[in-house]
Amino acid sequence: LRTTLLLTTLRNGICLIRERSCQPSLSIRDELLRVSRSTKTTYHKSLHSSPITSRGMSDKTGVSVVYVTCPTSDVAKSLSRGLIENKLAACVNLIPQVLSIYEWEGKVEEEGETLMIIKTQDSVLDKLTDYVKKNHPYDVPEVISLPVTGGSGDYLDWVKKQVK
């Protein structure tokens, strides 16, 4: 059987990729590479009227997702509001009660934290990182950015308009 990838875009711009078995052919990796090379824009009319930009892995949209963990939801809310007010982020999602396991000063730690998922422009990543480091209670706060290589064109444009 062959695995086929089904792309579903939710109203908030998040793309979900699901697998479906069909006739023998390409591996998932090969199918992803084939689709990313051959597809520039795809429409999913049942959920979106706007195009979903599909780019190869080396292309960039100018938008990044940044992960930051915080000791409490209150700290995460405060940082989120500051990032939005200072035009360093378009949107921040807070996921409370994530479990983080890590080594700190020679000891394995296990802590509940709140995860911030920040949508921003690549051009302000340094300023965003500086803001988090200055306003975060941890000595070494987690600030990890991942490039967005595709998504809802309307959503990506909105992110770029919100961030200065």
Side-chain angles (χ1 to χ4, degrees), residues 120-133:
T120 191
Q121 280 199 65
D122 294 348
S123 62
V124 301
L125 286 173
D126 289 340
K127 290 179 184 175
L128 185 148
T129 301
D130 289 343
Y131 181 88
V132 171
K133 288 169 76 173

Side-chain angles (χ1 to χ4, degrees), residues 1-5 19-20 23-35:
L1 290 176
R2 173 186 139 185
T3 301
T4 300
L5 302 174
E19 299 176 22
R20 185 180 66 159
Q23 297 299 323
S25 182
L26 302 172
S27 69
I28 294 173
R29 184 182 153 283
D30 291 339
E31 184 72 9
L32 276 172
L33 288 172
R34 185 192 67 74
V35 168

Side-chain angles (χ1 to χ4, degrees), residues 37-53:
R37 287 185 189 130
S38 65
T39 306
K40 293 297 179 200
T41 304
T42 307
Y43 289 88
H44 192 294
K45 294 180 182 169
S46 65
L47 294 176
H48 265 295
S49 59
S50 63
I52 301 163
T53 307

Side-chain angles (χ1 to χ4, degrees), residues 100-111 113 136-142:
S100 296
I101 302 171
Y102 56 94
E103 184 177 326
W104 184 253
E105 297 179 348
K107 183 180 172 192
V108 175
E109 302 285 345
E110 188 172 306
E111 297 289 335
E113 295 182 294
H136 200 289
Y138 290 167
D139 293 334
V140 182
E142 172 187 358

